Amino acid sequence: PIQFGGRMAEQMVQVAYNAQHLIPWHWPVPAYLVTKAIGSGLFMLLALGPGLGLFALDGLTATVFGLFALLFIAATTGLLVWDLERPERFLLILIRPQWKSWLTRGAFLLIGFSVLAAVWWLLEMLAYTGARGAPPLRGLLLWLGLPLAGGVAVYTAFLFGQAEGRDLWQSTLLPVHLLIQSLMVGSGFALFLDLFMTLPAELTATARTVFVVLLLVDLLVTLLGEFGMPHASEVAAQAAHEISHGRYRAHYWQGSIGLGHALPLLLLWTGFPFLAALAGLCAIAGLYLYEYAFVMAPQEIANS
């Protein structure tokens, strides 16, 4: 209390504003990053393979892969809506969009990609079941869906970039890193599906090559690009140190580097299809552990 002479003036000391600094994002956000990467990565693999003449896409493969891509994108949208404090307000993003916000842009990217991929998948399924399809239209939809899938994969980097208090997220490398991760886990999941169905040999070989190359590239980016280079601010450096040497070091070293990169490369080196499928799952699990640390550490540093 404030004292004037012998008189107490407690009423002059009042709390005018008190903000609770809670961590707003938890496990649904890294989970959404992983499901988004798998769904968009699978679609990009399907679009790039036939388009570049790497493999032919048969009806069964297109139907199964397209279904899983749609399921993972649906899970992404569900996790995104669920993580909102007021999920019903998600409709306001569609009804009254704020186009400067990457939350709005990302929502429309997800919707646009989902609609286009669903139409393409329906045409593929009709063609596979013997109904009359439109092959040129199916190929066109694949190519039109490619930039949308890429946008779905990378838009979160720009959404994170609008979080001004999270300096580690203000990285110009982040969009490229998300694109690499998307194609990496998309091809890894394709190898997992190869365990349960007969895929074209060219598709399996392409997915394996893409998976190995991007595992190595992502390992380099993860070790050097995000944490090996000097950071622009002390807050970003603290968050990076918290990931690599602090509370989340197990997520980073044992989870991302060990489980998510080193073990898959070792399993792929054996050449056994079962172990290649396991390598794909390990990469997905490692990506989740990495994204969990990448999402949580900057929030804790900024709110400490």
Side-chain angles (χ1 to χ4, degrees):
I2 299 176
Q3 183 171 350
F4 293 96
R7 196 164 48 115
M8 307 295 287
E10 293 186 15
Q11 73 277 5
M12 296 181 65
V13 182
Q14 300 178 10
V15 176
Y17 179 74
N18 185 25
Q20 298 297 325
H21 295 286
L22 301 177
I23 297 177
W25 287 347
H26 292 278
W27 69 265
V29 174
Y32 129 89
L33 287 170
V34 173
T35 56
K36 179 167 68 72
I38 298 173
S40 59
L42 267 179
F43 192 91
M44 284 190 286
L45 181 66
L46 291 182
L48 288 171
L52 297 177
L54 300 175
F55 57 81
L57 191 60
D58 63 279
L60 178 61
T61 301
T63 302
V64 173
F65 277 43
L67 176 61
F68 274 105
L70 287 171
L71 289 176
F72 277 110
I73 293 300
T76 298
T77 306
L79 287 167
L80 182 62
V81 174
W82 182 30
D83 192 61
L84 297 175
E85 291 184 2
R86 297 285 299 276
E88 69 276 8
R89 291 188 176 180
F90 182 76
L91 292 176
L92 292 178
I93 298 176
L94 308 179
I95 299 172
R96 300 170 61 184
Q98 170 52 263
W99 291 109
K100 292 183 179 180
S101 169
W102 274 99
L103 183 62
T104 298
R105 297 173 182 177
F108 278 90
L109 273 171
L110 283 169
I111 293 171
F113 172 68
S114 299
V115 170
L116 187 144
V119 173
W120 167 79
W121 177 76
L122 181 61
L123 292 177
E124 288 287 354
M125 187 177 64
L126 289 174
Y128 176 66
T129 55
R132 286 192 174 184
L137 180 60
R138 301 204 309 271
L140 177 62
L141 288 176
L142 264 181
W143 276 110
L144 290 176
L146 181 60
L148 286 176
V152 166
V154 306
Y155 87 85
T156 312
F158 301 98
L159 175 61
F160 281 6
Q162 289 184 329
E164 293 295 338
R166 317 303 194 242
D167 289 6
L168 187 64
W169 296 346
Q170 318 295 317
S171 171
T172 56
L173 185 62
L174 190 54
V176 178
H177 198 183
L178 290 179
L179 187 63
I180 292 170
Q181 290 173 344
S182 179
L183 280 168
M184 180 185 73
V185 294
S187 57
F189 191 77
L191 294 177
F192 172 72
L193 292 179
D194 188 41
L195 193 62
F196 302 96
M197 58 184 294
T198 303
L199 298 179
E202 295 83 1
L203 190 155
T204 303
T206 300
R208 188 185 184 92
T209 301
V210 171
F211 189 43
V212 170
V213 171
L214 292 185
L215 274 172
L216 294 171
V217 173
D218 189 62
L219 180 60
L220 181 65
V221 173
T222 302
L223 285 172
L224 300 180
E226 294 288 358
F227 302 103
M229 301 294 291
H231 292 88
S233 71
E234 181 63 25
V235 175
Q238 290 177 10
H241 185 270
E242 189 71 12
I243 293 173
S244 59
H245 295 85
R247 179 178 177 181
Y248 297 100
R249 62 185 182 276
H251 291 73
Y252 179 68
W253 292 107
Q254 300 170 27
S256 175
I257 304 302
L259 178 64
H261 292 87
L263 183 57
L265 288 170
L266 180 62
L267 293 174
L268 288 167
W269 180 74
T270 64
F272 295 109
F274 171 76
L275 295 181
L278 182 59
L281 294 181
C282 288
I284 292 170
L287 178 61
Y288 173 79
L289 293 172
Y290 171 81
E291 298 292 10
Y292 186 86
F294 188 77
V295 167
M296 298 298 292
Q299 297 183 101
E300 293 185 357
I301 295 297
N303 292 327
S304 64

